[in-house]
Amino acid sequence: MNREEMKKAAVDTVVTIAKEEAGAVLKLLNTDEVKELLKAQMDIVTAPLEQEIKNTDSLWVKVRNRLYIIVLNKAVDDIVEGVKKKIG
């Protein structure tokens, strides 16, 4: 085995170990906690939309913002479900 082959074998071994460790850590994640973290961050994004809904008389703005909020919340749910499927 030459030097390049040894380096490649060492790198492959390290990558394999890192993937296994990352997989083990991901399996320990509580997806409900992840979902709550994402929802908390989403509140920061949706708060201005909610504020605009309260402060406008425009029906169009109210409907548009409500749709944005619904889509964003659905995206969070879909992301969490995707994570659950991939690590489960």
Side-chain angles (χ1 to χ4, degrees):
M1 184 179 271
N2 66 30
R3 184 176 183 174
E4 288 302 314
E5 291 171 334
M6 289 188 324
K7 285 190 328 189
K8 183 179 180 337
V11 168
D12 289 345
T13 301
V14 169
V15 168
T16 300
I17 292 169
K19 284 181 180 178
E20 290 170 359
E21 291 296 317
V25 168
L26 287 174
K27 287 182 180 179
L28 294 174
L29 282 177
N30 180 340
T31 52
D32 292 333
E33 291 173 357
V34 173
K35 187 173 186 173
E36 289 304 314
L37 176 64
L38 288 171
K39 290 275 188 191
Q41 292 300 311
M42 195 55 64
D43 287 345
I44 294 169
V45 173
T46 59
L49 297 171
E50 292 282 1
Q51 191 63 36
E52 191 174 24
I53 288 169
K54 291 177 186 173
N55 293 333
T56 189
D57 292 329
S58 170
L59 181 61
W60 166 245
V61 171
K62 290 180 183 199
V63 170
R64 179 198 66 196
N65 287 6
R66 186 62 56 207
L67 286 173
Y68 287 162
I69 292 167
I70 290 168
V71 168
L72 290 168
N73 286 325
K74 177 70 173 129
V76 168
D77 293 339
D78 290 347
I79 289 167
V80 171
E81 286 304 313
V83 170
K84 275 184 186 178
K85 286 179 184 175
K86 287 191 181 200
I87 64 174

